[in-house]
Amino acid sequence: MNDVRAVPGRTAPWRVRLRPTWRTVGQIVGRLLLTGVSATFIVGGAADPVSFGGALFLLLGAAGVALFGSAALVLTGHLVARRPVLEIDDEGIRRPAGWPRRASRLLRWDDLAAVGAWSQGIPAGRGHRHHLAFLSRGSAGRPAAGAEILAIKMSGVPGVAEPRWSIPVNDAWDRSVEDVVRAVRRHRDVPFADRR
């Protein structure tokens, strides 16, 4: 299952992947049901396609099949492909690009200053979400656009906050934040700030 060729002196990448959960399965089933309902709109609209109601049903049904069907296909693809969300190897920390982009992002070990876990949103609220941030070395001047909240949460921690290196932690990850920090520290001993 490891898609990395063995190179003498190099270790295989340590990966974080999404695992199947009941929530993901429920999302797929829900989108498939909505696709089916949208298909019945098409059938209903096909009965009288020249009327306003028939044309409206055809339009809504086609839009629903396209949107809900593609969403179900994407979720199923993520579940089946088992593409890693995060890789840690001898070069550094890599964020594999999502399809169709081909270039992954790499934060080299020499550029890593710290790791932080932080939360955004109202605790116990629907929008509350945990993130894992990798802070890079550099001048700690003004934070990058979109990283203001991250910079406030990680104040006092060495490194520069960058939105591209702040990853939302998903309940479907097959590894915990603590596992990721341990894997990072096997390569480089950096501070870890838990601000969740």
Side-chain angles (χ1 to χ4, degrees):
M1 184 167 275
N2 200 353
D3 58 348
V4 174
R5 293 187 180 111
V7 177
R10 295 192 66 172
T11 58
W14 186 89
R15 294 186 170 104
V16 176
R17 298 179 195 265
L18 295 176
R19 68 176 186 270
T21 62
W22 286 111
R23 181 178 181 197
T24 308
V25 172
Q27 288 175 340
I28 292 170
V29 168
R31 282 165 176 79
L32 289 174
L33 288 173
L34 289 171
T35 302
V37 169
S38 299
T40 60
F41 269 65
I42 292 173
V43 170
D48 189 15
V50 294
S51 70
F52 175 75
L56 182 63
F57 269 54
L58 283 172
L59 180 67
L60 291 174
V65 166
L67 291 173
F68 298 125
S70 62
L73 189 63
V74 166
L75 279 172
T76 305
H78 285 291
L79 198 61
V80 172
R82 303 268 303 148
R83 184 175 184 87
V85 176
L86 187 68
E87 288 182 347
I88 297 172
D89 60 21
D90 292 336
E91 290 183 83
I93 299 164
R94 187 179 315 273
R95 288 190 67 185
W99 184 85
R101 293 185 306 144
R102 300 216 187 275
S104 298
R105 293 182 182 150
L106 174 67
L107 181 61
R108 298 196 179 278
W109 292 119
D110 292 338
D111 296 331
L112 181 66
V115 179
W118 64 287
S119 298
Q120 185 176 15
I122 301 167
R126 190 170 179 93
H128 191 251
R129 188 158 206 189
H130 297 298
H131 297 264
L132 182 62
F134 300 99
L135 304 169
S136 62
R137 295 189 186 279
S139 60
R142 192 170 187 191
E148 293 85 4
I149 295 174
L150 173 58
I152 291 169
K153 292 280 188 167
M154 292 292 123
S155 63
V157 179
V160 179
E162 296 181 62
R164 65 186 177 147
W165 287 108
S166 181
I167 305 166
V169 176
N170 193 321
D171 293 338
W173 279 15
D174 64 349
R175 314 277 183 139
S176 68
V177 170
E178 291 75 17
D179 292 337
V180 174
V181 173
R182 279 192 292 275
V184 167
R185 284 187 169 159
R186 279 195 290 270
H187 291 275
R188 186 170 186 91
D189 190 22
V190 293
F192 171 62
D194 193 347
R195 307 278 169 87
R196 289 178 280 181

